[in-house]
Amino acid sequence: MSRARATLGTFVGLGSVLLLFLLLPILVILFGTTPGRMLETVLDAEVRRSFTVTFSSAALATLLGLLTGVPLAYLLARYAFRGKRLIEGLLGLPVIIPHTSAGVALLLTYGAQGPLGGPLARVGLFFTDRMAGIVLAMLFVGVPFLVTSAREAIALINPELEQAALVDGASRWQGIWRITLPLARRGIAAGALLMWARGISEFGAIVLLAYHPRTLATLIYERFQGFGLAQATPLAALLVLISLIVFVLLGTCLSSGD
Amino acid sequence: MRYRSLHWLLLLFLILSIGCRSSRDAAVPLSPTASEGSSPPAQTPTPQPTPRREPVPLRVFCAGSLMIPFAALEKGFEAANPDIDMQMEAHGSIQVIRHVTDIHEKIDVVASADHALLSMLMYHTNDPDTGQPYASWNIRFATNRLVLAYSEHSKGAGELSTENWAEIIARPGTRVGLPDPRFDACGYRELMILQLAEAFYGRKTLFEDVLMGRFTQPIRAVQEGENRIVIHVPEVLEPRSNSTIVLRGSSVQLIPLLQSGDVDYLFEYESVARQHGLQFVPLPDALNLGSPQYAADYQRVSVKLDFRRFASVEPLFQGEVIAYGLTIPSNAPHPAEAERFVAFLLGPEGKRIMAENYHPLLEPLRVDYHDRLPESLKALCVPE
């Protein structure tokens, strides 16, 4: 019994150290500034523009991720086909490769002379230093989280439920839309939330493809580099605070659907 | 149960703190340095640690335009000095200095693309730890001149020449790179060139054509007196959406965008353009900021940051012939090794490496306060 307690105590100890390790920098940054400085930061027009760019780009990227990623997740969850493993491996690539490498790859592809960026530039659609570039970078680095989470959620739903709907006269689309997706919604929503959060925190890929308009991560970097800690800290704290609030709120919403 | 957990936690912290302590001890430089010479004597008669073979880390921060020659210098210097591990970092010139004065990093050698920045930002700012200015001398070791770099994808590249470049870069839809003048010397020099070019070519709206309407808050050129123009840079420098100005923290960050076709034209140092094999047109001597015979003309323009960029200094950058400067900060953690590096750079091997990288050293090497130079460097420089 006492040995079991000792083991438990060790686990508690180790877990506490990790929690402290994670929590301490968050607390330091939150208490490293004053409410007055935070308010000043909120009222800063450049910061507000940056907020709009960051959050709307992440939302747009997530929406694109949902539109394209969920169908792919469905295929991967429901069907066995040649090359499936390869696709699953490919989906992991953006998570594995350094994000600055992703930025270089995106610039080469969607830059004004890239295989896709070139033709699009000729019709006036640029990605470098445009919000479209930010959305693209967020989509690239974030969508694997969504697809993986959605695939696992869909795989847990018994396919017979969908087939039963087909027997009862529903179309294939209705079976997916009315049966499978609602049942898998929590997994899909969790994936979307992860992707959105990943987009907001992205820096490496964005800064190479679209430094402007500045996202919050870019603005924090620029203020740190150009103006010092005093300028960067309130903004960094604000981003931490908002991310925490949004994450907790959304997490609560998701679990309340249980 | 609760207390036992706490004991475990305390034990872990103890182990961690001992680990941290021992690693901090290991970071103390062991080769004899000037800073060690001034340290107080040990209070206990414990034996001195025996010298270890770990190389001394020498932090050298340089302007982005020095990145390639300094990387070559690093190799040569480390080969000749295996006891030193040179750790180089490159940023915009203002940023390089800010790492010392604002972020309080301990850096051994600072090399800036504008010598005036060293005196402006380091001579009158004191290190809070020592109460001494961050620097008190700088050696002008190299010059440069600006060129207009382009690629085969650049709009109008086929008809580009030394005579018509101003007309071509002002065409609507042409994307021009601008290193951020708040952070990089090349950025404020580009603004100076655009203003000088107005008078030189008689294109009275060149500055406006290239820059106006491109930012959420404008960069303004104001005539002050008969023959003096001050360019005002706002605190928030943010390109508008669909702007044709591509803004980055330093000039070298724009090179990949020129190569990818996302920037059409870029004012770049000639040394950098050659190091990267970029295509470029030279600018007339009256504009390139590298020709001493036009020094008086260059002085007609200056760039002012319209905000308190630095704690105690008015941020005004004066047009003049480009002169790179270097110094050893007063709080350099390894001043003896820093002197060895500077001597290497200014010596025959350093001269050869710099020349091979299209960035030859000045002859003679001038220093503003010769009497303040470390003894080992005095013979290499002459007073201004």
Side-chain angles (χ1 to χ4, degrees):
Chain A
M1 187 62 188
S2 65
R3 187 170 290 180
R5 278 188 175 181
T7 307
L8 199 62
T10 310
F11 282 20
V12 169
L14 290 172
S16 306
V17 171
L18 180 65
L19 280 178
L20 195 67
F21 169 74
L22 294 174
L23 205 59
L24 197 60
I26 306 287
L27 292 175
V28 166
I29 200 167
L30 287 178
F31 290 101
T33 187
T34 61
R37 294 281 296 150
M38 287 271 253
L39 185 67
E40 220 173 88
T41 308
V42 173
L43 296 176
D44 184 335
E46 192 184 21
V47 171
R48 278 186 283 138
R49 273 196 298 277
S50 191
F51 263 105
T52 311
V53 167
T54 309
F55 283 81
S56 52
S57 298
L60 202 57
T62 308
L63 194 65
L64 289 172
L66 283 167
L67 282 174
T68 53
V70 173
L72 179 61
Y74 182 86
L75 293 175
L76 291 171
R78 285 284 188 260
Y79 296 96
F81 51 89
R82 188 175 292 177
K84 184 175 164 180
R85 279 277 168 85
L86 185 69
I87 292 173
E88 286 173 340
L90 281 175
L91 275 170
L93 267 184
V95 181
I96 298 161
I97 61 173
H99 289 192
T100 39
S101 300
V104 173
L106 289 171
L107 180 63
L108 288 173
T109 312
Y110 295 96
Q113 298 299 325
L116 283 175
L120 290 170
R122 281 192 277 283
V123 296
L125 183 57
F126 288 97
F127 293 94
T128 41
D129 279 16
R130 297 287 187 274
M131 203 167 129
I134 296 172
V135 173
L136 209 69
M138 287 177 170
L139 183 66
F140 188 82
V141 300
V143 82
F145 293 100
L146 193 153
V147 175
T148 307
S149 181
R151 185 194 61 202
E152 283 171 14
I154 293 168
L156 287 174
I157 311 300
N158 190 343
E160 286 179 7
L161 291 172
E162 207 175 298
Q163 280 157 12
L166 294 182
V167 171
D168 287 342
S171 67
R172 170 55 66 94
W173 169 249
Q174 284 173 323
I176 296 170
W177 185 249
R178 296 262 172 94
I179 307 291
T180 305
L181 291 186
L183 288 172
R185 69 181 183 281
R186 280 195 59 214
I188 295 170
L193 180 61
L194 267 179
M195 181 184 169
W196 180 78
R198 188 68 202 80
I200 284 170
S201 60
E202 178 53 25
F203 174 70
I206 290 174
V207 86
L208 295 188
L209 185 66
Y211 193 103
H212 296 278
R214 297 180 188 92
T215 62
L216 283 166
T218 308
L219 192 62
I220 290 169
Y221 170 75
E222 187 176 292
R223 290 200 169 178
F224 174 75
Q225 281 277 311
F227 299 88
L229 265 176
Q231 291 284 329
T233 306
L235 185 55
L238 199 64
L239 183 57
V240 166
L241 197 64
I242 289 177
S243 303
L244 278 175
I245 291 170
V246 172
F247 218 71
V248 169
L249 278 180
L250 285 177
T252 312
C253 291
L254 286 177
S255 54
S256 67
D258 251 349
Chain B
M1 170 70 189
R2 197 178 298 162
Y3 293 116
R4 190 169 292 176
S5 306
L6 193 65
H7 290 155
W8 274 106
L9 201 61
L10 284 172
L11 184 65
L12 270 165
F13 270 121
L14 198 65
I15 292 166
L16 281 173
S17 54
I18 290 167
C20 291
R21 179 65 188 267
S22 61
S23 68
R24 199 179 304 158
D25 292 347
V28 173
L30 291 165
S31 61
T33 63
S35 59
E36 279 182 323
S38 61
S39 61
Q43 303 217 333
T44 50
T46 48
Q48 292 294 310
T50 50
R52 290 190 293 120
R53 286 177 203 155
E54 241 175 67
V56 175
L58 184 76
R59 300 189 75 198
V60 177
F61 275 45
C62 66
S65 54
L66 291 169
M67 198 191 266
I68 289 178
F70 269 46
L73 281 170
E74 182 179 353
K75 274 188 190 163
F77 179 65
E78 285 180 350
N81 299 274
D83 58 322
I84 298 176
D85 172 22
M86 178 172 150
Q87 297 172 354
M88 189 190 75
E89 233 180 279
H91 302 275
S93 281
I94 298 175
Q95 296 303 85
V96 164
I97 297 169
R98 281 205 57 257
H99 275 268
V100 179
T101 58
D102 290 11
I103 303 176
H104 304 296
E105 284 190 59
K106 304 284 190 218
I107 294 164
D108 295 298
V109 178
V110 168
S112 157
D114 187 349
H115 76 102
L117 290 173
L118 295 168
S119 50
M120 181 198 292
L121 303 177
M122 297 182 84
Y123 288 12
H124 308 292
T125 315
N126 290 346
D127 176 7
D129 292 339
T130 63
Q132 297 297 312
Y134 280 107
S136 57
W137 55 268
N138 81 81
I139 300 169
R140 295 185 193 190
F141 69 100
T143 184
N144 220 328
R145 55 189 169 197
L146 281 153
V147 298
L148 185 70
Y150 65 99
S151 74
E152 68 271 22
H153 309 300
S154 303
K155 281 183 184 166
E159 49 185 307
L160 184 72
S161 72
T162 312
E163 288 74 38
N164 70 358
W165 65 266
E167 185 260 315
I168 288 177
I169 66 164
R171 287 179 184 169
T174 303
R175 286 158 68 98
V176 179
L178 175 67
D180 197 321
R182 300 171 304 166
F183 310 138
D184 191 28
C186 190
Y188 57 73
R189 284 171 174 156
E190 178 172 334
L191 299 179
M192 290 171 184
I193 287 176
L194 287 173
Q195 196 50 240
L196 289 169
E198 279 198 355
F200 185 77
Y201 292 112
R203 288 184 58 94
K204 289 186 177 170
T205 60
L206 176 65
F207 192 82
E208 264 185 39
D209 293 344
V210 175
L211 296 171
M212 282 301 132
R214 308 293 195 274
F215 296 96
T216 52
Q217 293 179 32
I219 297 176
R220 295 173 300 117
V222 178
Q223 183 93 27
E224 285 188 5
E226 200 170 305
N227 203 21
R228 183 175 146 79
I229 295 160
V230 179
I231 300 163
H232 293 262
V233 176
E235 181 169 15
V236 175
L237 193 60
E238 190 176 42
R240 287 181 187 279
S241 57
N242 299 323
S243 173
T244 49
I245 291 291
V246 181
L247 187 73
R248 287 294 184 275
S250 70
S251 68
V252 289
Q253 288 176 15
L254 287 158
I255 293 172
L257 297 174
L258 182 74
Q259 291 165 331
S260 73
D262 291 279
V263 166
D264 292 312
Y265 295 98
L266 173 60
F267 290 89
E268 187 50 272
Y269 294 111
E270 183 177 349
S271 66
V272 176
R274 290 188 186 280
Q275 287 154 12
H276 288 265
L278 303 178
Q279 300 176 69
F280 65 85
V281 289
L283 299 175
D285 285 347
L287 305 179
N288 65 23
L289 300 178
S291 309
Q293 67 270 32
Y294 287 96
D297 287 343
Y298 301 156
Q299 284 186 353
R300 288 196 308 108
V301 287
S302 51
V303 173
K304 187 173 187 299
L305 303 185
D306 268 358
F307 52 99
R308 292 297 293 180
R309 176 77 171 77
F310 312 103
S312 57
V313 184
E314 187 189 29
L316 182 75
F317 310 119
Q318 185 64 51
E320 62 173 5
V321 178
I322 295 170
Y324 283 63
L326 70 79
T327 191
I328 299 172
S330 60
N331 62 352
H334 309 106
E337 286 77 8
E339 283 176 41
R340 281 163 64 188
F341 171 72
V342 174
F344 179 85
L345 162 62
L346 306 181
E349 189 65 3
K351 273 182 189 162
R352 183 187 64 76
I353 292 171
M354 290 293 288
E356 276 176 8
N357 286 281
Y358 310 104
H359 206 157
L361 293 186
L362 284 169
E363 285 281 356
L365 295 156
R366 296 187 189 280
V367 61
D368 51 358
Y369 294 99
H370 193 266
D371 54 317
R372 297 177 185 170
L373 264 184
E375 284 302 324
S376 66
L377 302 178
K378 280 185 175 165
L380 297 168
C381 310
V382 297
E384 263 182 4

